[in-house]
């Protein structure tokens, strides 16, 4: 794609990177075939190619974001299916992230929209605020039909519907047998997951320790920054990245780490991008690159180990839902399925597996209508397989899909832990006692 940026614009590093990305696009349109919003809405501006034209015009002419641009960029899920499809290697993720940051800087949203986005950005990454918020959602659920009539009520109703019951069952991880130590890793505690589904990290820790891996969660790490990053709050995202880079670098230097393990693929995609996000920060660039190199999804790391065989009867039919951040963001496709197969599960791919379920961070709250259509489509494809269990590697997908089906849905690592001696995952209680 031919571009015509001014020298003033190109003096800024983010603009230089976006111009480079735009030049890689050859207008082929392959991306339209795999874009969820284009498939649903049929509008060229709701396809990656259409959004690229909008972003190009905005950046090239140094314009503030318009209502039209905001509408179509907001509808983008950042599922990154277009990046998997693109034959030219267009790095759409970095381009749309830059566009979102530009929107935040140059466009004043309506008051209700600003309040809602600010609330999500403040509450979701903060466990101390998320716990009471989820409790409040459960309390007001009986009056939802009146609340949805208020300004912003559609989004409020979506939040109430998605808020899970706060009944996490915590398990004490087994002690590590130091004599069998094979490695040492840090595990990201994160933010929302530790409130909504603490059993996921518990299962990962048990499984790792069972195989001789020492696990630490250094004091001070927190939200990876993905939620605010994809909402356009760039400063908050970079602050989160710097905090985590500091914590993990200290742990690396003092005690050593073989890997930084992430059990939420949406977070993993962002942590692996810290090197890019902080590339212009002289104090953090090299440290961030080092952290990104060490970051691995739990399935990636487990695939490098020789796991013990199952200790209980398996053989259940598992529909494996590959999160967009897993298959498109990190290009991890076969490892989770291979691990489940090793444990004796019968694994089936979901039809249209490349199409997003509609979760996409805060998308299912901010764009509930489109997200609901995508969930219905995803659930229908899953239920065609008649699985006994659904497995996925991302909490957002687990929450989104779980709200649309009665089939138990669990994290992949929870199944692996159960197969090798761990407790039954909460979601499977009553079905596999």
């Amino acid at each position: 794609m031919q571009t015509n940026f001014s020298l003033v614009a190109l003096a800024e590093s983010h603009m230089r990177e976006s111009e480079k990305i735009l030049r890689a696009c050859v207008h082929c349109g392959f991306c339209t075939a795999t874009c969820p919003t284009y498939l649903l809405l049929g509008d060229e501006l709701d396809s990656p190619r259409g959004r690229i034209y909008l972003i190009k015009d905005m950046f090239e002419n140094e314009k503030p974001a318009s209502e039209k641009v905001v509408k179509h960029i907001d509808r983008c899920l950042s599922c990154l299916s277009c990046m998997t499809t693109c034959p030219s290697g267009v790095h759409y993720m970095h381009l749309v992230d830059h566009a979102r940051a530009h929107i935040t800087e140059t466009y004043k949203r309506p008051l209700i929209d600003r309040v809602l986005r600010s609330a999500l950005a403040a509450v979701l990454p903060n466990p101390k605020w998320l716990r009471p918020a989820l409790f409040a959602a459960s309390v007001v659920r009986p009056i939802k039909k009146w609340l949805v009539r208020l300004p912003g009520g559609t989004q409020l109703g979506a939040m109430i519907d998605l808020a899970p019951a706060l009944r996490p069952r915590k398990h004490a991880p087994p002690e590590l047998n130091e004599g069998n130590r094979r490695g040492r890793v840090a595990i990201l505690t994160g933010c929302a997951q530790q409130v909504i589904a603490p059993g996921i990290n518990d299962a990962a820790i048990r499984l790792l320790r069972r195989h001789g891996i020492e696990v630490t969660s250094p004091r001070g790490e927190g939200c990876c920054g993905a939620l605010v990053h994809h909402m356009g709050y760039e400063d908050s995202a970079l602050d989160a990245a710097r905090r985590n880079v500091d914590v993990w670098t200290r742990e690396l230097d003092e005690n050593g780490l073989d890997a930084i393990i992430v059990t939420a693929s949406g977070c993993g995609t962002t942590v692996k991008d810290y090197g890019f996000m902080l590339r212009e920060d002289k104090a953090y660039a090299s440290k961030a690159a080092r952290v990104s190199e060490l970051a691995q999804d739990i399935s990636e790391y487990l695939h490098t180990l020789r796991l013990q065989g199952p200790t209980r009867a398996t053989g259940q039919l598992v529909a494996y839902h590959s999160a967009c951040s897993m298959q498109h963001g990190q290009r991890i496709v076969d490892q989770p399925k291979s691990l489940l197969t090793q444990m004796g599960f019968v694994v089936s791919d979901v039809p249209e597996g490349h199409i997003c379920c509609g979760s996409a961070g805060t998308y299912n709250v901010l764009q509930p209508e489109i997200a609901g259509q995508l969930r219905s489509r995803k659930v229908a494809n899953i239920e065609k397989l008649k699985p006994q269990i659904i497995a996925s590697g991302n909490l957002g997908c687990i929450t989104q899909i779980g709200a649309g089906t009665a089939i138990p849905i669990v994290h992949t690592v929870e199944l692996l832990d159960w197969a090798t001696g761990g407790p039954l995952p909460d979601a499977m209680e009553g079905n596999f006692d």
Side-chain angles (χ1 to χ4, degrees):
M1 176 180 291
Q2 185 176 359
T3 60
N4 187 26
F5 282 65
S6 71
L7 293 177
V8 173
L10 292 176
E12 201 272 321
S13 63
H14 291 298
M15 203 62 75
R16 286 198 303 273
E17 185 66 27
S18 289
E19 195 257 359
K20 177 182 173 182
I21 295 168
L22 288 168
R23 280 184 173 274
C25 178
V26 297
H27 317 268
C28 67
F30 283 9
C31 56
T32 62
T34 57
C35 175
T37 50
Y38 183 73
L39 293 179
L40 289 182
L41 304 174
D43 186 336
E44 173 75 10
L45 295 180
D46 286 313
S47 73
R49 183 171 62 181
R51 293 183 179 110
I52 284 172
Y53 287 135
L54 291 174
I55 294 169
K56 177 180 182 292
D57 176 65
M58 179 173 65
F59 286 166
E60 195 172 60
N61 294 294
E62 302 175 45
K63 298 190 297 189
S66 65
E67 184 177 352
K68 179 180 180 181
V69 169
V70 172
K71 172 185 175 181
H72 295 291
I73 297 300
D74 280 356
R75 284 180 177 174
C76 175
L77 293 130
S78 282
C79 70
L80 310 182
S81 182
C82 55
M83 285 179 57
T84 298
T85 308
C86 180
S88 303
V90 175
H91 206 304
Y92 179 81
M93 181 177 81
H94 290 160
L95 182 66
V96 77
D97 284 344
H98 184 194
R100 288 189 169 121
H102 186 75
I103 287 170
T104 299
E105 292 174 0
T106 64
Y107 181 78
K108 188 172 183 178
R109 294 178 181 274
L111 177 61
I112 292 298
D113 198 9
R114 297 201 305 272
V115 170
L116 175 62
R117 287 172 174 270
S118 295
L120 289 172
V123 172
L124 287 178
N126 191 328
K128 291 181 180 179
W129 293 3
L130 181 57
R131 294 178 197 277
L134 289 173
F135 176 74
S138 66
V139 170
V140 302
R141 188 171 288 119
I143 61 170
K144 188 189 97 170
K145 63 181 178 181
W146 291 289
L147 293 175
V148 296
R149 299 174 186 173
L150 298 172
T154 303
Q155 288 79 13
L156 182 59
M159 285 190 280
I160 292 171
D161 289 339
L162 287 166
L166 280 177
R167 295 175 184 171
R169 184 180 69 184
K170 294 189 176 182
H171 309 290
E175 294 298 322
L176 173 67
N177 181 342
E178 292 289 352
N180 294 329
R181 174 173 164 174
R182 301 166 59 189
R184 187 174 192 272
V185 302
I187 190 167
L188 174 66
T189 302
C191 49
Q193 184 167 288
Q194 66 173 283
V195 174
I196 298 170
I200 293 173
N201 266 18
D202 284 352
I205 293 169
R206 279 193 303 269
L207 186 59
L208 288 166
R209 288 183 172 175
R210 194 175 295 133
H211 290 85
I213 306 301
E214 181 182 348
V215 185
T216 183
S217 185
R219 183 184 298 274
E221 59 95 325
C223 176
C224 68
L227 286 170
V228 289
H229 182 52
H230 295 308
M231 293 174 72
Y233 298 126
E234 194 65 13
D235 288 343
S236 297
L238 294 179
D239 285 345
R242 291 187 186 100
R243 181 195 60 236
N244 286 341
V245 167
D246 280 339
V247 170
W248 287 326
T249 298
R250 184 172 61 249
E251 187 67 29
L252 270 162
D253 292 341
E254 293 178 358
N255 301 299
L257 293 171
D258 299 310
I260 297 167
I261 301 299
V262 186
T263 56
S265 62
C267 299
T269 302
T270 296
V271 175
K272 288 181 177 182
D273 206 41
Y274 278 180
F276 177 83
M277 291 168 63
L278 294 169
R279 69 196 184 282
E280 297 294 324
D281 189 325
K282 293 180 180 178
Y284 282 88
S286 62
K287 295 190 293 184
R290 186 182 180 198
V291 163
S292 291
E293 284 294 318
L294 280 172
Q296 292 190 48
D297 182 76
I298 181 65
S299 65
E300 277 185 290
Y301 186 75
L302 291 174
H303 204 257
T304 67
L305 304 178
R306 185 173 180 178
L307 299 187
Q308 66 184 54
T311 61
R312 53 168 43 98
T314 53
Q316 293 84 3
L317 178 59
V318 176
Y320 174 69
H321 164 73
S322 185
C324 295
S325 48
M326 185 82 84
Q327 61 173 314
H328 304 309
Q330 300 184 54
R331 305 295 173 96
I332 299 171
V333 178
D334 296 325
Q335 295 95 319
K337 294 183 290 184
S338 174
L339 290 166
L340 289 169
T341 301
Q342 288 176 39
M343 291 301 134
F345 296 104
V346 179
V347 182
S348 291
D349 286 319
V350 176
E352 290 189 334
H354 62 287
I355 299 297
C356 184
C357 68
S359 172
T362 57
Y363 192 93
N364 50 7
V365 172
L366 296 173
Q367 301 284 339
E369 184 177 349
I370 297 173
Q373 292 179 56
L374 289 171
R375 176 172 57 206
S376 297
R377 185 169 182 153
K378 180 65 66 176
V379 167
N381 278 317
I382 289 172
E383 292 183 343
K384 288 176 185 176
L385 302 173
K386 302 188 185 310
Q388 294 167 276
I389 311 166
I390 307 166
S392 184
N394 190 52
L395 175 64
C397 301
I398 291 169
T399 304
Q400 172 78 348
I401 296 170
T405 183
I407 301 169
I409 180 166
V410 298
H411 195 286
T412 305
V413 79
E414 292 183 284
L415 274 185
L416 299 174
D417 175 52
W418 177 63
T420 54
L424 187 72
D426 291 355
M428 291 168 58
E429 286 184 346
N431 296 278
F432 300 89
D433 293 333

